[in-house]
């Protein structure tokens, strides 16, 4: 399986990073994490030693349920029926250096256990059926840090699937991290991270 992540999919988050929304010709920015990046079962996240500014980014995850390539946007909804929540852990200092040098982001984004994935995925139908009408929230030590409303995405899930599958075949079990809303920030040893999707607790783990 592979993990595909969308960058800068909420305007307020792009602004907080100081990134003007780039003119990508109407296509989302994406990058990937390998399966070694998975952090499952609410296992603790250990801050890697190579970063002094390790950030959380809470994101809605869409799980692909059939093989597809060059998927038309109007058929994209047939390729998923469950969603979860995840954290796209990001070594912000490493990412900044890479961006300044115009280099790839893998060292900042794709390291071991950088993709926390909720133990549970929920059938979309149980959540009202519309992937662009979901609310999620992430807290550190009980204090809300991020609030997401999927209606605010710049690129919808169906548009993301159409765009990514032009280049890369999607397979059953692939995960798409759909971008983070505003409010990203650092994690510190000893904190507890929780996240809810439509009020249901999806993530609850410790930072070590
Ligand atoms: Mg992200």
């Amino acid at each position: 399986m592979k993990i595909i992540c969308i960058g800068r999919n909420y305007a307020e988050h792009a602004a907080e990073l100081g990134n003007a929304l780039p003119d990508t010709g109407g296509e989302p920015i994406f990058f990937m994490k390998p399966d070694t990046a998975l952090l499952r079962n609410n296992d603790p996240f250990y801050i890697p030693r190579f970063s002094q500014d390790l950030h959380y980014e809470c994101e809605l995850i869409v799980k692909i349920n059939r093989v597809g390539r060059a998927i038309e946007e109007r058929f994209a909804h047939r390729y998923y029926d469950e969603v979860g929540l995840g954290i796209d852990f990001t070594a912000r200092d490493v990412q900044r250096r890479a961006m300044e040098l115009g280099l790839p982001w893998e060292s900042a984004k794709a390291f071991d256990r950088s993709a926390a994935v909720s133990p549970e995925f929920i059938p979309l139908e149980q959540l009202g059926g519309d992937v662009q009408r979901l609310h999620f929230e992430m807290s550190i030590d009980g204090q809300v840090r991020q609030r997401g409303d999927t209606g605010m995405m710049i690129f919808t899930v169906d548009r993301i699937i159409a765009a990514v599958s032009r280049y890369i075949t999607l397979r059953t079990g692939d995960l798409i991290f759909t971008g983070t809303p505003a409010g990203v920030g650092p994690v510190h040893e000893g904190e507890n991270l929780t996240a809810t999707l439509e009020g249901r607790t999806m993530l609850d783990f410790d930072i070590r």
Side-chain angles (χ1 to χ4, degrees), residues 177-195:
F177 278 60
T178 57
T180 199
V184 301
V187 289
H188 307 97
E189 201 180 321
E191 290 175 337
N192 173 255
L193 186 156
T194 53

Side-chain angles (χ1 to χ4, degrees), residues 57 59 88 109:
E57 295 187 358
E59 312 195 3
D88 164 19
K109 285 286 198 180

Side-chain angles (χ1 to χ4, degrees), residues 2-206:
K2 55 189 173 288
I3 303 164
I4 293 162
C5 304
I6 305 303
R8 297 176 225 171
N9 202 23
Y10 291 83
E12 283 179 25
H13 166 63
E16 79 183 342
L17 287 186
N19 297 320
L21 283 175
D23 180 4
T24 55
E27 290 215 23
I29 302 164
F30 70 91
F31 57 93
M32 298 208 287
K33 299 191 188 225
D35 57 5
T36 42
L38 281 172
L39 177 64
R40 301 182 202 254
N41 302 320
N42 279 320
D43 287 346
F45 175 75
Y46 288 86
I47 298 175
R49 289 173 188 273
F50 57 76
S51 177
Q52 270 62 60
D53 194 21
L54 206 294
H55 278 204
Y56 57 79
E57 295 187 358
C58 186
E59 312 195 3
L60 182 84
I61 305 176
V62 173
K63 188 188 268 185
I64 297 298
N65 65 4
R66 50 192 286 204
V67 177
R69 58 177 294 274
I71 299 162
E72 283 184 51
E73 186 176 336
R74 66 196 164 113
F75 298 131
H77 65 94
R78 298 180 185 173
Y79 289 80
Y80 60 92
D81 56 13
E82 287 186 329
V83 292
L85 277 189
I87 306 293
D88 164 19
F89 280 111
T90 302
R92 194 70 71 203
D93 45 356
V94 177
Q95 186 192 30
R96 282 213 180 90
R97 280 199 296 278
M99 287 172 90
E100 278 166 20
L101 297 169
L103 295 174
W105 297 359
E106 271 77 0
S107 50
K109 285 286 198 180
F111 56 89
D112 287 355
R113 301 182 161 215
S114 61
V117 171
S118 55
E120 192 190 2
F121 277 72
I122 302 177
L124 245 190
E125 226 161 63
Q126 282 182 29
L127 298 170
D130 186 348
V131 77
Q132 301 307 146
R133 288 187 71 159
L134 297 173
H135 292 85
F136 58 97
E137 226 173 68
M138 196 222 75
S139 301
I140 298 281
D141 290 340
Q143 281 197 321
V144 178
R145 298 288 181 85
Q146 289 191 283
R147 280 197 179 87
D149 168 0
T150 60
M152 302 296 283
M153 286 182 183
I154 296 169
F155 297 98
T156 63
V157 170
D158 290 354
R159 192 138 167 232
I160 289 166
I161 287 173
V164 171
S165 70
R166 286 180 64 196
Y167 303 100
I168 296 173
T169 298
L170 297 178
R171 287 192 175 139
T172 307
D174 287 351
L175 302 177
I176 301 181
F177 278 60
T178 57
T180 199
V184 301
V187 289
H188 307 97
E189 201 180 321
E191 290 175 337
N192 173 255
L193 186 156
T194 53
T196 60
L197 174 61
E198 292 290 322
R200 302 187 195 201
T201 298
M202 303 291 285
L203 294 170
D204 183 353
F205 62 88
D206 294 330

